[in-house]
């Protein structure tokens, strides 16, 4: 089976790491108190709304911290064992929207991070906000992501789509998407489908 998987907030605890650097930026650089606005944000520019920044502040934050965040994120609980177990009998295709600069450093940071954490994959695609074409080209049969808009688009391709529960999507209700809460749960669902 071909399994398509997102990285940030699906494999890794990216939002938690962004919060740490966002607090540092807000209190240290902007000299304001740090708050997190808990609401559903489907826009990829969610950090601006979540931390009450202007667009310019948001751009500056990611210019300063983006690479550091991606180098230092931690894997989600049980994800390494789950993916590596699934990789024994399935093709793992990682498709991330992480954007890259001209120097292509983000692709290398991502490869290094996956290698550091010994996460097996067969194919890696970096910088793809619209993942539909890659899902189709790679004949993905199960797709896992935390981004509601992406999950909705992929499910409309008649691909079984699992939405990883996150702060950004936890209150969105959609009966067409299977919500998952852990990698143990994901692994069990996929193994059940294989049998």
């Amino acid at each position: 089976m071909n399994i398509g998987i997102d990285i940030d907030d699906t494999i890794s605890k990216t939002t938690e790491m962004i919060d740490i650097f966002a607090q540092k930026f807000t209190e240290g650089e902007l000299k304001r108190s740090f708050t997190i606005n808990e609401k559903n944000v489907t826009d990829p520019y969610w950090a601006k709304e979540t931390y009450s920044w202007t667009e310019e502040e948001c751009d500056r934050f990611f210019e300063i911290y983006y690479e550091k965040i991606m180098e230092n994120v931690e894997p989600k609980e049980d994800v390494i064992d789950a993916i590596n177990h699934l990789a024994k009998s399935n093709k793992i295709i990682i498709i991330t929207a992480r954007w890259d600069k001209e120097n292509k450093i983000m692709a290398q940071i991502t490869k290094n991070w996956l290698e550091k954490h010994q996460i097996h994959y067969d194919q890696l695609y970096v910088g793809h906000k619209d993942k539909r074409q890659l899902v189709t080209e790679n004949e993905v049969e199960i797709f896992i992501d935390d981004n509601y808009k992406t999950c909705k688009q992929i499910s409309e391709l008649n691909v079984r789509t699992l939405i990883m529960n996150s702060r950004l999507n936890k209150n969105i209700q959609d009966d067409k998407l299977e919500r998952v809460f852990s990698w143990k749960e994901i692994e069990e669902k996929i193994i059940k489908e294989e049998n």
Side-chain angles (χ1 to χ4, degrees), residues 70-81:
M70 297 308 165
E71 287 171 335
N72 291 292
V73 294
E74 289 295 321
K76 285 186 172 279
E77 189 174 339
D78 302 315
V79 69
I80 298 168
D81 289 341

Side-chain angles (χ1 to χ4, degrees), residues 176-187:
K176 293 184 179 177
L177 300 176
E178 286 181 70
R179 184 172 295 275
V180 289
F181 297 87
S182 74
W183 272 93
K184 279 193 182 298
E185 179 186 1
I186 292 168
E187 184 179 10

Side-chain angles (χ1 to χ4, degrees), residues 157-179:
L157 299 173
N158 293 318
V159 173
R160 183 176 179 197
T161 305
L162 307 179
I163 185 167
M164 177 63 83
N165 194 62
S166 75
R167 179 172 82 203
L168 302 178
N169 70 36
K170 67 182 179 184
N171 295 320
I172 298 172
Q173 298 299 316
D174 190 327
D175 295 337
K176 293 184 179 177
L177 300 176
E178 286 181 70
R179 184 172 295 275

Side-chain angles (χ1 to χ4, degrees), residues 44-126:
Y45 222 58
W46 63 267
K48 184 180 94 159
E49 295 175 32
T50 301
Y51 307 122
S52 302
W53 293 337
T54 65
E55 197 165 317
E56 293 75 25
E57 290 167 345
C58 194
D59 288 343
R60 197 163 97 222
F61 170 77
F62 283 109
E63 184 64 36
I64 297 168
Y65 294 109
Y66 189 55
E67 291 172 16
K68 289 178 191 166
I69 290 165
M70 297 308 165
E71 287 171 335
N72 291 292
V73 294
E74 289 295 321
K76 285 186 172 279
E77 189 174 339
D78 302 315
V79 69
I80 298 168
D81 289 341
I83 289 178
N84 291 344
H85 181 243
L86 292 170
K88 290 176 184 174
S89 57
N90 299 282
K91 186 175 180 184
I92 305 297
I93 302 150
I94 296 178
I95 308 170
T96 177
R98 290 180 172 188
W99 65 89
D100 220 336
K101 300 175 185 174
E102 295 84 35
N103 62 8
K104 301 294 181 198
I105 190 79
M106 192 50 58
Q108 192 58 54
I109 286 171
T110 303
K111 286 177 190 174
N112 292 346
W113 186 88
L114 290 163
E115 186 177 309
K116 173 185 171 184
H117 293 288
Q118 299 179 356
I119 296 173
H120 178 82
Y121 63 94
D122 297 285
Q123 198 71 31
L124 171 65
Y125 297 96
V126 177

